[in-house]
């Protein structure tokens, strides 16, 4: 009997270990990215730039497990997180790829302006401090400055397109309004 009980416990332990190993997500830290297949949570662009991607792991209040979101640019990650209730939760983790393609903690990274990044926020991350580098708070301010500039442009562009669409509709209506005496 002790042999069967020991075997059953061993089997149950191995089965638990196997099931947890197959889940793929360790529940902490950055997750695996399927490059050129996973899409950015904010802009839906495919993650292909291995030197400028980001991830956010957060813990929803109503869930037992964390959720992991992937982004093509640290700018998308920062903007996406801004209005979330867990943005200031100490359990929320933000990861960014560095200049060598490895994952580093985004909150302690140094950001350097001038990189060509997927969404043109222009920030490259590295673990080591560098002269002229930005800390996370400064990088965040830079991202919102860039976003404001692009967003204003986007609103103006949308307004011009709507005005143009209205003019096209008016022109079409005018060209199709015929009087009763006109012949076709």
């Amino acid at each position: 009997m002790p042999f069967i009980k020991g075997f059953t416990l061993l089997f149950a332990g191995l089965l638990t270990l196997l099931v947890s190993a197959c889940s793929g997500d360790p529940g902490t830290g950055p997750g695996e990215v399927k490059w050129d297949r996973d899409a950015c949570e904010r802009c839906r662009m495919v993650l292909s730039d291995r030197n400028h991607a980001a991830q956010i792991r957060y813990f929803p209040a109503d869930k037992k497990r964390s959720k992991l979101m992937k982004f093509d640019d640290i700018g998308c990650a920062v903007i996406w997180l801004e209005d979330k209730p867990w943005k200031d939760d100490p359990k929320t983790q933000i990861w960014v790829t560095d200049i060598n393609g490895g994952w580093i903690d985004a909150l302690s990274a140094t950001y350097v302006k001038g990189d060509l990044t997927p969404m043109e926020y222009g920030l490259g991350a590295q673990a080591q401090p560098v002269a002229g580098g930005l800390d996370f708070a400064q990088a965040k301010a830079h991202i919102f400055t860039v976003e404001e500039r692009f967003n204003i442009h986007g609103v103006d562009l949308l307004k011009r397109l709507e005005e143009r669409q209205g003019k096209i509709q008016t022109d079409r209506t005018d060209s199709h309004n015929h009087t009763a005496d006109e012949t076709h």
Side-chain angles (χ1 to χ4, degrees):
M1 286 293 219
F3 173 74
I4 293 174
K5 187 176 181 181
F7 179 75
T8 304
L9 286 173
L10 178 64
F11 181 73
L14 286 173
L15 186 60
T16 303
L17 184 62
L18 181 64
V19 168
S20 66
C22 291
S23 69
D25 187 358
T28 186
E32 178 186 351
V33 173
K34 293 179 184 107
W35 299 106
D36 301 318
R37 289 189 302 206
D38 285 342
C40 176
E41 186 64 28
R42 180 171 178 260
C43 71
R44 307 312 301 163
M45 253 179 72
V46 173
L47 277 70
S48 59
D49 185 339
R50 289 162 172 78
N51 299 325
H52 297 102
Q55 294 185 38
I56 295 176
R57 181 177 298 279
Y58 67 95
F59 296 81
D62 60 339
K63 304 285 183 195
K64 292 181 181 175
R65 297 183 63 157
S66 66
K67 289 197 70 154
L68 184 66
M69 299 297 162
K70 300 171 186 174
F71 303 89
D72 63 337
D73 193 303
I74 186 64
C76 280
V78 165
I79 292 167
W80 178 87
L81 184 62
E82 187 61 21
D83 65 349
K84 304 300 183 270
W86 51 81
K87 79 174 184 173
D88 295 322
D89 184 339
K91 294 185 294 187
T92 298
Q93 303 169 351
I94 307 171
W95 300 90
V96 63
T97 50
D98 67 7
I99 55 177
N100 299 313
W103 293 102
I104 58 175
D105 180 356
L107 299 177
S108 62
T110 298
Y111 296 87
V112 180
K113 290 182 183 179
D115 275 20
L116 180 60
T117 65
M119 295 307 293
E120 297 184 17
Y121 292 101
L123 296 176
Q126 60 186 51
Q128 305 79 20
V130 63
L134 308 175
D135 63 18
F136 186 74
Q138 293 167 321
K140 194 172 165 180
H142 169 82
I143 289 164
F144 283 108
T145 299
V146 170
E147 182 66 13
E148 185 177 315
R149 188 171 8 131
F150 285 149
N151 210 6
I152 289 170
H153 175 73
V155 169
D156 289 343
L157 181 61
L158 181 61
K159 184 178 174 185
R160 285 188 305 226
L161 286 171
E162 287 172 348
E163 288 171 354
R164 184 175 179 198
Q165 189 68 14
K167 182 177 179 350
I168 290 171
Q169 290 298 333
T170 303
D171 291 347
R172 284 185 184 160
T173 304
D174 290 344
S175 68
H176 288 95
N177 287 340
H178 301 285
T179 61
D181 1 346
E182 286 183 33
T183 57
H184 297 311

